[in-house]
Amino acid sequence: MAEPRPSSRTVADSAGEPATGAVLAAPAVPGPGAVGVLRPLGVGQVRLDPDGLLGQWYRRNATATLPHCVDRLETSGNLGNLRAAAGEAEQEFRGMWFADSDVYKTLEAASWRLAASAPGDEAGLRAFVAGTTALLARAQRPDGYLNSYFTLVEPGERWRKPHWSHELYCAGHLIQAAVAAGRAGVGDGLLEQARRFADLLVARFGPDGVDEVCGHPEIETALVELYRLTGHGPYLELAARFIDLRGRGLLTRGPFGPGYFQDHVPPRDAREVAGHAVRQQYLLAGMIDVAVETGDRELLAAAGRLWEDAVHTRTYVTGAHGSRHRDEAYGSPYELPPDRAYAETCAAIAGFQCSWRLLLATGEARYADEMERVLYNAVAVAVSCDGTRFFYSNPLQVRTGHVGGGEEASTRRLPWYSCACCPPNLARLFAALPGHLATADDEGLRIHLYGSATVDAAVRGVPVRLRMRTEYPWQGRVELTVTGPAGSAPWTLALRIPAWCPAYTVLVDGVPVRAEAPDGYVRLRRVWAHGTTVVLDLHLPVRQVSAHPRVDAVRGCVALTRGPLVYCLEQADLPPDAVLEDVRLDPEAPVVLALANGPGPSAPPVTLIASGFTVTTAGTSLYRTAARAGGTTTPVTLRAVPYFLWGHRAKGAMRVWIPARPAPHENSG
Amino acid sequence: MAEPRPSSRTVADSAGEPATGAVLAAPAVPGPGAVGVLRPLGVGQVRLDPDGLLGQWYRRNATATLPHCVDRLETSGNLGNLRAAAGEAEQEFRGMWFADSDVYKTLEAASWRLAASAPGDEAGLRAFVAGTTALLARAQRPDGYLNSYFTLVEPGERWRKPHWSHELYCAGHLIQAAVAAGRAGVGDGLLEQARRFADLLVARFGPDGVDEVCGHPEIETALVELYRLTGHGPYLELAARFIDLRGRGLLTRGPFGPGYFQDHVPPRDAREVAGHAVRQQYLLAGMIDVAVETGDRELLAAAGRLWEDAVHTRTYVTGAHGSRHRDEAYGSPYELPPDRAYAETCAAIAGFQCSWRLLLATGEARYADEMERVLYNAVAVAVSCDGTRFFYSNPLQVRTGHVGGGEEASTRRLPWYSCACCPPNLARLFAALPGHLATADDEGLRIHLYGSATVDAAVRGVPVRLRMRTEYPWQGRVELTVTGPAGSAPWTLALRIPAWCPAYTVLVDGVPVRAEAPDGYVRLRRVWAHGTTVVLDLHLPVRQVSAHPRVDAVRGCVALTRGPLVYCLEQADLPPDAVLEDVRLDPEAPVVLALANGPGPSAPPVTLIASGFTVTTAGTSLYRTAARAGGTTTPVTLRAVPYFLWGHRAKGAMRVWIPARPAPHENSG
């Protein structure tokens, strides 16, 4: 392992440097010595217009989801737990034993939000951050330990149940919140509290300490982030140590096998994602962070290999991960049932975070493709239109007569969960979203995600402002205008061409330019002048997507997609006498667009109108001789809505994968 | 509810009466006043030849499985728990809190075995029954209570955790063992012990007692059986009371919803099977037993409705039940994933028992069809060829790279389980198997399952002996010869024509007879003479079976079946360079039989040779545009083996449902 590199509290002069010169306010900011091709922008450097889809999501998160989470931390007892741990209240411990982590995730989300807010705005959120930071200070033990469950309920068991306790997991989220607060310049004292805890961890688990790892990864990536912010090498070393200690059978207790904890094989030797999907993805994030900061290319390659395995054998078309309800786990290769998809929201979020880290490290467009897919589908579906209800599990099919409900296999977004990991995790992702649209590199700027926004960046020390206007993902036209001076030296504006895009055109000031994208990015290099406008037009055909033939669960089916959006059918859009399970898509008939003034659950801007049939099956026999062909069919017009908007109308069946009639050819492409 | 009818210790004069006039030694023997069309024979009245498949299974059970279970009760601590409860040993409680039930099931199995054995045989088994009966007497509390877990571990919690404790479940299996011992004339004292416990239950839970039900049904059917043997009405009344108390929300504690316990709706109002599959099927058995003994036709109709729902929306082609690992539960209608099928062995056994009960009650062939299906597939697969290793879960597909192992999603039969409910349950089913081949009715004799055996029955008081010779299920020819005098009055020999059978012929003494079977039974009525021989020849074509179009998980696939046997492909039979997931069946090519001198895992008597292809898929993309058809194919010869024999060779992939190329037509039949 390479020696940890020194860091400083401020990011060195770099292309992505914010105009103010302050610490870059974004998650997963590589240190100046890190391996990596791209450099992120701060969340305040990309201001999303409120009318674009990403801007709507961002604003909804700030105005609805984040206040909702703050409120629920109070009503669900999370803050009460901390008050009791501080000796200020009598409350019996409430909720999951790792309930503190919900507080930390919300603090992190609030910090990213405040990093992009004007100093006088968001007074309530500022008060929440300040008050909670002060509360945490009072709940923290003199030695730096901070965990309300083990303080209140099992004080004698501190550090004694690493497979189960989530103590380091909670510590990790505290650290991530503190890093966010530190980068955002809010939460006075939170960073010091986190460091006191982190120093305790270094003393206990460091090279001179015990050989233990946490059953739920998270501490690894958090410690790297803390190292990045503070430059304190032992944090990075401890993160690397946790990675290296994994896979040595330290987590053998309890009903789960070691694979559940990714403790069955050393991470750098792993060939397949395994076990609890969120744990796997959080571990992967830690692996990437350690690898890029230590220059450990073998570990980075291992992380890339696991990402490939997940994406090529165990990822839903929505970008979701985790095929099994049992153990919330990855399954066997190609085991991707749409109905029993567990597809936990947190796994989707973690997948987004891992792809982002690999994108920064490598600059490869496929990681941005994956970010976009999971964001617009598996992540977006988890939040209700009003921002205050959430899915925990995100199946791709719900049947007529669905058995499930409550928190298990729910067909309704719920305001909160007994295990409420997902809602505040969504809050922190959406609060940090602006920072993920664009990056800097040595050549200039790259745009990865398209949304109406103003991007402020420094290119080779020269401030550059770019206006991006688009109706994406509803329309493929993206207009980018340089507003203001952009320096006298040439630099490259790189625009991602998504892998699903079959054709596109690029105009610069109205003039078509030849724009190849062999690696997934169109590169326009020139001296940029104020007012220069680039128009990228991505063709957004409706695509009938089929799955790899080994995905048995969706054989003979197609999914309708357009751009990054996966669409689905809902019972609510069928004639009263038609049952969704009996619907067949005619794959040879054209699919046309229907436009509406959305967005809203009832009137998305673009719905897809397809042709199909309903098949009437005679008899109730579950099995019959195959040779008896036939079946009466009735033509039906099908209306497909964006998957992320399903479940807002009458309760009923939904499906992403539609049986095609005639069946689509198996293909080799 | 009708008044319970009086009964007597001996079965009244009936067509099925054993020649000896003793109590009928068989499970689920309806009382003389019961609603019902058919009357069972005792396990000793049908002597299976040792060379037929059923005879092999019966003998294997007696010589291998049953001794193995007896041995494991010692080594796994079940008997030690009882010794500790009797105050004779210091052993800390071992195993599941309902471990006593494994002892009782084994006692029941031993009793059925002894009922069919000559008095001087099976000395070891007799010693086990006698010794265990004596041990149980010492472990039983003075008030009749008997449960080693609650005696040793949680004495203060007796009867306080009905949703979890399995106390009544264990009591039920004790009672069933005692009934078997009583009917078999073994286990002196066991019946009295069971009655003491049952009397305690009547006092506590009866009409003057508390309104409670057990989280795990079993006591209901057991109490009816005890009533049938003893004629004591309060046992039947209590069973009926437990049925009537269910569905009233008495089981609200714990992490499971009421549906898990079938406590979400009164059983007589239920329209769908729900929750934990074994619990549902055991409850169903109790419903049927109560209904037939009380003449409660509404309850019987409710049971039939639940059976229909299970068979038409939630049963695997192997006859297995339980689609979800999570909660070991039934899922939504048509949710039948082959790979994640939980398909617990105990659920298959319980399904067999319910179908048997409905067959006795109604005489309808479809119930016998279902018994046969589940016996030859979902039950048979659970036992290794040597009879000492067992599956708990019985999936219909295991992938290359299967993730699972140990006791969860195992691909290997294991000698025992930490929750060892299945092995002794198999032992009791196979020990009672002979009694399920034939029944009496008012007209004569009916044969439901075909196997080489000698059947002794009394028809209208006249002893009749029938020799049945057949290679079934490998061949369809069944020869039945009346041996000895068969009375001077005409009676009917009814032979089941399975629903899968497209054609058959019947000869009587070599002369073809017209033999229609509008209700699934050919009826031959005559005065039968010694030596008269009937030859039934069932055609056993290979059938390509497809599933109802709503079964998404196997769309485009066919299963190969022949007679009652479901076949499967195993990786072990493919060329080294072929991967099972890439195999396609050519549904238009003939499937031929290959005969061998089996049975054995390597050389089953009949394997199926089909033609197909392996499909090579270019690229690793999990999703692609459907229009890109093609894919290179290589012809391959496929060898399908009986599903019940899979998993005995090299560890590898297996699948029942084979993708067809070209895809089979959807059908309406």
Side-chain angles (χ1 to χ4, degrees):
Chain A
M1 192 177 86
E3 280 294 291
R5 286 169 184 72
S7 177
S8 70
R9 289 292 300 276
T10 54
V11 176
D13 180 25
S14 74
E17 181 189 3
T20 61
V23 174
L24 194 65
V29 180
V35 171
V37 174
L38 304 180
R39 293 183 292 278
L41 307 183
V43 293
Q45 289 180 268
V46 179
R47 294 186 304 286
L48 289 161
D49 294 1
D51 59 338
L53 187 58
L54 296 184
Q56 289 163 15
W57 289 349
Y58 179 74
R59 190 173 55 170
R60 180 184 70 192
N61 187 64
T63 60
T65 305
L66 199 37
H68 178 82
C69 288
V70 169
D71 182 59
R72 287 287 170 152
L73 293 179
E74 193 61 73
T75 58
S76 299
N78 306 62
L79 293 172
N81 290 337
L82 287 163
R83 285 188 204 106
E88 300 165 1
E90 285 300 307
Q91 176 181 308
E92 210 165 295
F93 187 87
R94 288 175 60 190
M96 305 300 276
W97 60 101
F98 46 86
D100 289 354
S101 60
D102 300 337
V103 177
Y104 303 143
K105 286 184 198 164
T106 308
L107 274 176
E108 184 187 338
S111 298
W112 299 134
R113 172 60 186 161
L114 293 175
S117 304
D121 291 349
E122 298 283 5
L125 214 51
R126 285 179 206 282
F128 164 74
V129 172
T132 306
T133 299
L135 171 58
L136 290 168
R138 300 194 299 276
Q140 191 167 28
R141 301 294 94 186
D143 64 354
Y145 185 84
L146 180 46
N147 186 300
S148 70
Y149 177 84
F150 282 91
T151 297
L152 291 171
V153 184
E154 297 195 41
E157 296 298 303
R158 186 207 275 201
W159 299 135
R160 295 172 63 97
K161 299 177 175 175
H163 66 294
W164 174 84
S165 73
H166 288 60
E167 284 162 292
L168 289 170
Y169 168 85
C170 288
H173 278 300
L174 168 63
I175 290 168
Q176 294 218 338
V179 167
R183 288 180 179 152
V186 299
D188 274 349
L190 191 57
L191 185 58
E192 286 64 36
Q193 293 159 36
R195 289 201 64 168
R196 283 180 60 213
F197 201 176
D199 292 340
L200 177 68
L201 303 185
V202 169
R204 178 176 173 80
F205 298 99
D208 302 325
V210 296
D211 286 354
E212 282 176 4
V213 296
C214 183
H216 200 313
E218 172 63 29
I219 187 65
E220 300 81 0
T221 183
L223 283 169
V224 178
E225 285 278 86
L226 188 59
Y227 156 76
R228 287 163 169 166
L229 181 62
T230 64
H232 188 57
Y235 300 150
L236 176 59
E237 288 166 15
L238 181 56
R241 181 169 147 79
F242 282 139
I243 300 288
D244 288 337
L245 283 175
R246 217 168 186 91
R248 301 194 183 179
L250 294 173
L251 296 167
T252 53
R253 291 170 61 191
F256 304 108
Y260 174 83
F261 301 109
Q262 297 80 42
D263 193 36
H264 58 308
V265 60
R268 70 178 65 234
D269 299 331
R271 291 286 186 281
E272 295 182 271
V273 290
H276 187 276
V278 177
R279 289 168 207 242
Q280 174 67 82
Q281 289 292 320
Y282 282 0
L283 178 64
L284 197 54
M287 288 168 65
I288 302 164
D289 285 345
V290 167
V292 300
E293 296 299 335
T294 62
D296 186 340
R297 293 200 174 268
E298 181 194 75
L299 186 62
L300 188 61
R305 206 162 53 217
L306 289 176
W307 186 94
E308 294 283 338
D309 178 64
V311 166
H312 290 149
T313 72
R314 271 166 270 226
T315 301
Y316 285 98
V317 72
T318 58
H321 290 193
S323 303
R324 296 183 178 174
H325 279 246
R326 177 125 176 186
D327 298 350
E328 311 182 298
Y330 285 108
S332 301
Y334 306 104
E335 178 191 318
L336 290 162
D339 48 355
R340 288 297 284 170
Y342 192 64
E344 185 183 337
T345 300
C346 284
I349 293 168
F352 181 87
Q353 292 167 333
C354 286
S355 293
W356 173 244
R357 282 163 166 78
L358 287 168
L359 175 65
L360 294 178
T362 67
E364 294 174 17
R366 59 194 172 137
Y367 298 118
D369 286 346
E370 192 59 24
M371 286 170 57
E372 183 178 65
R373 170 165 75 158
V374 72
L375 174 66
Y376 278 103
N377 300 288
V379 170
V381 73
V383 191
S384 67
C385 287
D386 70 359
T388 63
R389 287 168 295 128
F390 314 93
F391 278 135
Y392 192 109
S393 172
N394 298 284
L396 284 75
Q397 178 182 13
V398 170
R399 291 174 201 282
T400 303
H402 172 76
V403 171
E407 299 192 0
E408 153 65 8
S410 177
T411 58
R412 286 292 183 192
R413 295 173 184 86
L414 302 179
W416 207 245
Y417 285 82
S418 57
C419 175
C421 50
C422 299
N425 218 359
L426 287 161
R428 70 181 184 131
L429 181 145
F430 281 109
L433 184 62
H436 294 83
L437 270 69
T439 61
D441 62 17
D442 290 340
E443 306 294 318
L445 273 180
R446 287 210 215 178
I447 310 295
H448 305 287
L449 300 178
Y450 297 108
S452 288
T454 302
V455 179
D456 279 306
V459 175
R460 299 181 180 277
V462 177
V464 168
R465 171 167 292 185
L466 208 61
R467 277 289 292 153
M468 179 157 53
R469 291 292 301 166
T470 179
E471 300 289 318
Y472 193 89
W474 310 115
Q475 308 299 339
R477 185 177 189 278
V478 184
E479 180 185 291
L480 302 108
T481 304
V482 176
T483 59
S488 56
W491 54 271
T492 300
L493 177 64
L495 305 174
R496 185 175 67 93
I497 307 301
W500 49 255
C501 182
Y504 57 92
T505 57
V506 179
L507 306 180
V508 179
D509 286 335
V511 179
V513 297
R514 187 179 165 184
E516 293 182 353
D519 68 345
Y521 289 93
V522 160
R523 285 183 173 74
L524 305 170
R525 184 167 184 84
R526 63 187 64 209
V527 178
W528 295 91
H530 173 64
T532 299
T533 295
V534 176
V535 173
L536 168 68
D537 203 342
L538 298 165
H539 293 205
L540 294 181
V542 176
R543 295 188 312 135
Q544 294 184 16
V545 171
S546 63
H548 189 289
R550 289 190 181 177
V551 184
D552 295 291
V554 297
R555 189 180 313 286
C557 295
V558 297
L560 298 178
T561 70
R562 180 170 177 268
L565 295 179
V566 173
Y567 278 70
C568 69
L569 301 183
E570 286 193 85
Q571 180 68 44
D573 289 313
L574 289 179
D577 58 342
V579 176
L580 183 55
E581 284 74 25
D582 296 336
V583 161
R584 301 293 176 268
L585 179 80
D586 179 353
E588 288 156 14
V591 179
V592 300
L593 309 186
L595 308 184
N597 287 324
S602 304
V606 180
T607 54
L608 309 182
I609 308 301
S611 298
F613 316 92
T614 56
V615 179
T616 306
T617 302
T620 56
S621 290
L622 203 41
Y623 304 102
R624 60 281 302 271
T625 303
R628 293 178 58 189
T632 65
T633 60
T634 309
V636 67
T637 298
L638 302 174
R639 179 172 182 264
V641 298
Y643 170 71
F644 80 84
L645 287 171
W646 93 270
H648 281 92
R649 295 174 293 169
K651 199 169 173 176
M654 176 276 293
R655 70 187 307 154
V656 166
W657 290 101
I658 314 167
R661 183 189 180 95
H665 293 290
E666 284 191 330
N667 63 73
S668 61
Chain B
M1 191 176 83
E3 278 294 291
R5 287 167 183 75
S7 177
S8 71
R9 290 291 301 275
T10 54
V11 175
D13 181 25
S14 74
E17 181 191 359
T20 62
V23 173
L24 195 65
V29 179
V35 171
V37 174
L38 305 180
R39 293 184 292 278
L41 307 184
V43 293
Q45 291 179 265
V46 180
R47 292 186 304 286
L48 289 162
D49 294 0
D51 58 337
L53 186 59
L54 296 184
Q56 290 162 15
W57 290 349
Y58 179 72
R59 191 173 54 169
R60 180 183 68 193
N61 187 64
T63 60
T65 305
L66 198 38
H68 178 83
C69 289
V70 169
D71 183 58
R72 287 288 171 151
L73 292 180
E74 193 61 73
T75 57
S76 300
N78 305 63
L79 294 171
N81 291 337
L82 288 163
R83 287 190 202 105
E88 301 165 1
E90 286 297 309
Q91 176 181 307
E92 211 165 292
F93 187 87
R94 288 175 62 191
M96 306 300 275
W97 60 102
F98 46 85
D100 290 354
S101 60
D102 300 336
V103 177
Y104 303 143
K105 287 185 199 163
T106 308
L107 274 176
E108 183 187 339
S111 299
W112 299 134
R113 172 60 185 161
L114 293 175
S117 304
D121 291 349
E122 297 283 6
L125 214 52
R126 286 180 204 281
F128 163 74
V129 172
T132 306
T133 299
L135 171 59
L136 290 168
R138 301 193 300 274
Q140 192 166 27
R141 301 293 95 187
D143 63 353
Y145 184 85
L146 180 47
N147 185 299
S148 69
Y149 178 84
F150 281 91
T151 298
L152 290 172
V153 184
E154 296 195 41
E157 296 297 304
R158 187 206 274 201
W159 300 135
R160 295 173 63 96
K161 299 177 175 176
H163 66 293
W164 174 85
S165 72
H166 288 60
E167 283 162 293
L168 289 170
Y169 168 85
C170 288
H173 278 299
L174 168 64
I175 290 168
Q176 295 219 336
V179 168
R183 290 181 179 150
V186 299
D188 274 349
L190 191 57
L191 183 60
E192 287 63 38
Q193 293 159 35
R195 288 201 66 167
R196 285 180 59 214
F197 201 175
D199 292 340
L200 177 69
L201 302 185
V202 169
R204 178 177 173 80
F205 298 101
D208 302 325
V210 296
D211 286 354
E212 282 176 5
V213 296
C214 183
H216 200 313
E218 171 63 30
I219 187 66
E220 300 81 2
T221 183
L223 285 169
V224 178
E225 285 278 86
L226 188 60
Y227 156 76
R228 288 163 169 167
L229 182 63
T230 64
H232 187 57
Y235 300 150
L236 176 59
E237 289 167 16
L238 181 56
R241 180 169 148 79
F242 281 140
I243 299 288
D244 287 337
L245 284 175
R246 218 168 185 90
R248 300 193 184 179
L250 294 173
L251 297 167
T252 54
R253 291 169 62 191
F256 306 107
Y260 173 83
F261 301 109
Q262 298 79 45
D263 193 36
H264 59 307
V265 61
R268 70 178 66 236
D269 299 331
R271 290 286 187 282
E272 294 182 272
V273 290
H276 188 277
V278 177
R279 289 167 207 243
Q280 174 67 82
Q281 289 292 321
Y282 283 0
L283 177 64
L284 196 55
M287 290 168 65
I288 302 163
D289 285 344
V290 167
V292 299
E293 295 299 334
T294 61
D296 186 342
R297 293 200 175 269
E298 180 192 78
L299 186 61
L300 188 62
R305 206 164 52 217
L306 290 176
W307 186 93
E308 293 285 339
D309 177 65
V311 167
H312 290 150
T313 72
R314 271 166 271 227
T315 301
Y316 285 99
V317 72
T318 58
H321 291 192
S323 303
R324 295 183 179 175
H325 279 246
R326 177 124 176 185
D327 299 351
E328 311 182 299
Y330 285 108
S332 301
Y334 306 103
E335 178 191 316
L336 290 162
D339 48 355
R340 289 295 285 170
Y342 192 62
E344 186 183 336
T345 300
C346 285
I349 292 167
F352 180 87
Q353 293 168 334
C354 287
S355 292
W356 173 244
R357 282 162 165 78
L358 287 167
L359 175 65
L360 294 177
T362 66
E364 294 175 16
R366 58 193 173 136
Y367 298 118
D369 286 345
E370 192 59 24
M371 286 170 58
E372 183 178 64
R373 170 165 75 157
V374 71
L375 174 66
Y376 278 102
N377 300 289
V379 170
V381 72
V383 190
S384 68
C385 287
D386 70 358
T388 63
R389 287 167 294 126
F390 314 93
F391 278 136
Y392 192 110
S393 172
N394 298 285
L396 284 75
Q397 177 182 14
V398 170
R399 290 174 201 283
T400 304
H402 172 76
V403 172
E407 299 191 1
E408 153 65 9
S410 178
T411 57
R412 285 294 184 192
R413 296 173 183 86
L414 302 180
W416 207 246
Y417 285 82
S418 57
C419 175
C421 49
C422 300
N425 218 359
L426 288 161
R428 69 181 185 130
L429 181 144
F430 281 109
L433 184 60
H436 294 82
L437 269 69
T439 61
D441 61 18
D442 291 340
E443 306 295 318
L445 274 181
R446 287 209 215 180
I447 309 296
H448 306 287
L449 300 178
Y450 298 108
S452 289
T454 303
V455 178
D456 279 306
V459 175
R460 299 182 180 276
V462 178
V464 169
R465 172 167 290 184
L466 208 62
R467 277 289 292 154
M468 178 157 51
R469 292 291 301 167
T470 179
E471 299 290 317
Y472 193 88
W474 310 117
Q475 308 299 338
R477 186 176 187 279
V478 184
E479 180 186 290
L480 302 108
T481 305
V482 175
T483 59
S488 55
W491 55 271
T492 300
L493 177 64
L495 305 175
R496 185 176 66 94
I497 307 301
W500 49 255
C501 181
Y504 58 91
T505 57
V506 179
L507 306 181
V508 179
D509 286 336
V511 179
V513 298
R514 185 178 168 186
E516 292 182 352
D519 68 346
Y521 289 93
V522 161
R523 286 184 173 74
L524 305 171
R525 185 167 184 84
R526 64 189 62 207
V527 177
W528 295 90
H530 173 64
T532 299
T533 295
V534 175
V535 174
L536 169 68
D537 202 343
L538 298 165
H539 293 203
L540 294 181
V542 176
R543 295 188 313 135
Q544 295 184 18
V545 171
S546 63
H548 189 288
R550 289 190 182 176
V551 184
D552 295 291
V554 298
R555 190 180 311 288
C557 295
V558 296
L560 298 178
T561 70
R562 180 169 177 269
L565 295 178
V566 173
Y567 278 69
C568 69
L569 302 183
E570 287 193 84
Q571 180 68 45
D573 289 314
L574 289 180
D577 58 341
V579 176
L580 183 55
E581 284 74 25
D582 296 338
V583 162
R584 300 294 175 270
L585 179 80
D586 179 354
E588 290 157 13
V591 179
V592 298
L593 309 186
L595 308 184
N597 288 323
S602 304
V606 179
T607 54
L608 308 182
I609 307 300
S611 298
F613 315 92
T614 56
V615 179
T616 306
T617 302
T620 56
S621 290
L622 203 42
Y623 304 102
R624 59 281 301 270
T625 303
R628 294 176 59 190
T632 64
T633 60
T634 308
V636 68
T637 298
L638 302 174
R639 179 173 183 264
V641 298
Y643 170 70
F644 81 83
L645 287 172
W646 93 270
H648 281 92
R649 297 174 291 169
K651 199 169 172 176
M654 177 276 293
R655 69 186 308 154
V656 166
W657 290 101
I658 314 167
R661 184 186 178 98
H665 293 292
E666 284 191 331
N667 64 74
S668 62

